[in-house]
Amino acid sequence: MFILGIETSCDETSAAVVEDGVKLLSNVVASQVDVHSLYGGVVPEIASRAHAESISAVVAEAIEKSGVKIYDIGAVAVTYAPGLIGALLAGLSFAKGLSYALGVPLVPVHHIRGHVAANYLARPSPKPPFFALVVSGGHTSLIKVEDYAVYSTIGSTRDDAAGEAFDKAARVMGLPYPGGAAMDTLAEKGDPGAVKFPSPRVEGHEFDFSFSGLKTSLINYVANNGGEQCLDQKTKADIAASFTFTLVKAVTDRLERLFIKKGNLPLVLAGGVAANSHLRKSVTLLCEKHGAELFMPPISLCGDNAAMIASQGFFELLAGNISQKNQNAYASLGV
Ligand code: KG4
Ligand code: ZN
């Protein structure tokens, strides 16, 4: 079955066609980064308007590139939560109209489930049950995926998401928005032991994360050293490497505890921060140590895209999860 996926939860307008949840036929991603970088972050109102402007052309291009005729699309899958509400509604409304016009089901897809499903488009691909670590600009969650459409949360961030912390750190150091990828490259040249940053635990919740203290201490460190304009490249690289080391260690510590306490099911990485080379290396070593199978999406499918939504949409449809006519969007919603 051919599924058309639509993703507009943040600052990427994306449409894709995927066959049977696993075969990628097209994936068009129109990024709004240039617009938002003027402001150093995503401006919700601008994001919604930009989605409304580009969605028709993006969907048309995805259909054309897939080689599938629009009347052969079996269902429309759309991100309905979580995300920026105006941005979500732009995609959901378009998807509703299209599914109605084509006379096919509308399938609501949770954004985090979509990120996990990016892995089903790679080879080899994971089969539930498995653990998933979703690290992105808006989310940091440790999840057990019992089945393709049966999720339970093991732990999540109490404050900032991992990507949010990377973006803020990058901004304070004068790197271009969004800063995650730039921090990755800069950290490569630095000494991870140069600066001791704190890595708090959440008392009584061993699988939860907290990154705001780490973020704040980087901000203070830069300020106490005169601001980013007073730092040379080597010092900036040392800060980036130390920050990355601390964040990655917080993540791998929880994963290690997970393997020890709950058994070593396969582990699936997902989300924009899953592109981080240091995280990928550390998690690879950890999984080798514990004999756990590891799946990571290709870098091209780590960030927001509609292929992952179409993939998960197929499995939601198989599980009978179809939208009613009054389907709404939600800014926050458990996975
Ligand atoms: O999954 P995503 O595209 O959007 C959300 O669902 O939030 O993730 C975007 C986040 C941004 O914070 C971006 O800076 C971060 O992923 N990111 C990275 C890297 N590439 C993207 N963070 C660290 N290292 C990277 N290589
Ligand atoms: Zn995302």
Side-chain angles (χ1 to χ4, degrees), residues 111 115 136-139 163-164 166-167 178 180-181 184 271-273 275-276 302-304:
H111 186 73
H115 272 302
S136 72
H139 318 279
E164 203 179 345
F166 268 120
D167 291 343
D184 194 347
V273 182
N276 187 271
C302 285
D304 289 348

Side-chain angles (χ1 to χ4, degrees), residues 162-178:
E164 203 179 345
F166 268 120
D167 291 343
K168 184 69 194 211
R171 190 171 161 180
V172 167
M173 292 212 293
L175 301 175
Y177 167 85

Side-chain angles (χ1 to χ4, degrees), residues 7 9-10 12 111-112 115 134 136-139 271-272 302-305 308:
E7 155 65 39
S9 67
C10 191
E12 261 96 28
H111 186 73
I112 291 183
H115 272 302
V134 182
S136 72
H139 318 279
C302 285
D304 289 348
N305 67 85
M308 67 189 201

